[in-house]
Amino acid sequence: MRLRYIYVLLLVVFFNKSYPQSTASEQVTTFTIAAPQLDAIKTIWVYLPKNYKNSKKPYPVIYMHDAQNLFDVKTSYVGEWSVDEYMDALTDNESIIIGIEHGEEKRIAELTPYKHETYGGGQGDTYLTFIKNTLKPHIDVAYRTKSDALNTTIFGSSLGGLISFYAAIKYPETFGKAGIFSPAFWINPELFDLIGNITIPETSKFFFLVGEKEGKTMVPDQERMVAILKSKGVKENQIRNRIIEDGEHNEKFWSTYFGEAYQWLTSKG
């Protein structure tokens, strides 16, 4: 009798256990695609504007990293960006959002252009080649997109911010704009030297965001990079440099400022 009681009790506990429920919009779907450059299969999340099915027009595209944290609390590590909720609320200035899942233990490798002596990495160009040569051509065929660089943005935070900045300066013919949240310049300081030897188009746009509570080097590193860009002739209207007093290194912070960055990056001028 006692064993039966314990068994029933365990069933009650199991069925009443609270599991995260999906918060992804019905506008979000996923698919998988081979990434031969990375010797991997990548899961891709796609957000389509609410009016996509009822229109025939093409849309700008934003490529974002760490897709697990963008749309769904169920798959996020410590919270989501709520990108889909923000996009669902728009009635104009809409875009297609492409989220690329990070490679778990390969995340550092994929999102860093240079190898770090302690943390490794250094496959950033390979990762970006996958986006440029495999993923983007597929997206441009499968969906109605504006495929030119002026309508192609790359966006991420932390290592995602780092690789987004690198993509925009190394491959401006593909990525005309970059959302650069909490960029981890500390792991690849080589970028400070690289940028001195690169010509940046007058059409490129960079939205930088960092919080003062993220670490001692985060704000100075961002300020240094912005100063270098300006010294190379990048104009004020090409850069937005946001430093937030109480900003911390987390999804809540990035979610709060996604809308501001989105509107600035996708605005004309």
Side-chain angles (χ1 to χ4, degrees):
M1 187 70 177
R2 179 177 175 80
L3 288 175
R4 183 180 178 184
Y5 171 77
I6 293 174
Y7 175 71
V8 172
L9 182 62
L10 288 173
L11 286 177
V12 170
V13 171
F14 177 80
F15 284 109
N16 282 279
K17 185 174 181 179
S18 178
Y19 291 95
Q21 298 297 309
S22 175
T23 58
S25 163
E26 62 182 18
Q27 300 303 120
V28 177
T29 58
T30 64
F31 70 89
T32 58
I33 187 172
Q37 300 87 348
L38 300 167
D39 191 25
I41 301 295
K42 281 289 188 182
T43 298
I44 308 300
W45 297 55
V46 180
Y47 173 89
L48 294 179
K50 296 182 77 171
N51 293 325
Y52 182 86
K53 290 183 178 180
N54 297 322
S55 73
K56 295 182 179 180
K57 66 180 182 180
Y59 292 86
V61 182
I62 299 180
Y63 290 87
M64 301 187 71
H65 319 288
D66 299 323
Q68 295 97 320
N69 298 337
L70 300 178
F71 308 105
D72 198 343
V73 70
K74 188 175 182 179
T75 59
S76 66
Y77 176 58
V78 284
E80 59 153 320
W81 285 44
S82 301
V83 168
D84 47 339
E85 284 86 352
Y86 177 81
M87 299 301 295
D88 276 350
L90 297 180
T91 56
D92 57 9
N93 193 28
E94 297 172 309
S95 298
I96 295 172
I97 310 292
I98 303 298
I100 307 160
E101 285 201 1
H102 61 69
E104 301 294 346
E105 71 280 357
K106 296 180 180 179
R107 181 174 183 268
I108 292 178
E110 293 177 355
L111 301 183
T112 52
Y114 302 101
K115 187 174 182 179
H116 188 274
E117 62 180 10
T118 301
Y119 300 104
Q123 291 188 316
D125 279 296
T126 305
Y127 171 74
L128 292 174
T129 299
F130 156 66
I131 298 176
K132 293 189 314 104
N133 295 353
T134 301
L135 179 59
K136 186 177 185 299
H138 173 81
I139 295 300
D140 289 337
V141 169
Y143 304 97
R144 297 192 309 275
T145 69
K146 294 182 177 180
S147 60
D148 61 299
L150 291 178
N151 287 287
T152 305
T153 300
I154 190 161
F155 201 138
S157 64
S158 193
L159 294 178
L162 175 80
I163 199 66
S164 294
F165 176 73
Y166 179 76
I169 63 169
K170 186 73 179 292
Y171 305 106
E173 72 283 355
T174 300
F175 307 107
K177 304 171 184 178
I180 307 154
F181 281 13
S182 306
F185 290 130
W186 63 269
I187 199 170
N188 278 172
E190 296 92 339
L191 279 173
F192 292 107
D193 294 325
L194 174 68
I195 195 172
N197 301 313
I198 286 182
T199 300
I200 300 173
E202 293 184 358
T203 52
S204 293
K205 294 181 74 173
F206 308 89
F207 188 106
F208 291 91
L209 174 78
V210 70
E212 292 185 353
K213 293 184 178 181
E214 293 196 66
K216 292 183 179 180
T217 67
M218 295 293 286
V219 171
D221 280 352
Q222 180 165 301
E223 292 275 50
R224 179 184 174 190
M225 191 61 79
V226 169
I228 293 173
L229 287 172
K230 290 181 177 179
S231 73
K232 289 182 60 63
V234 177
K235 299 180 176 61
E236 289 287 343
N237 65 353
Q238 293 179 257
I239 300 176
R240 180 64 60 89
N241 181 27
R242 295 284 274 129
I243 300 172
I244 309 303
E245 182 179 0
D246 60 349
E248 298 179 341
H249 199 82
N250 56 44
E251 274 69 23
K252 181 180 179 181
F253 176 44
W254 303 323
S255 174
T256 299
Y257 288 90
F258 172 76
E260 179 183 332
Y262 174 83
Q263 292 297 335
W264 186 80
L265 286 166
T266 57
S267 64
K268 296 181 180 180

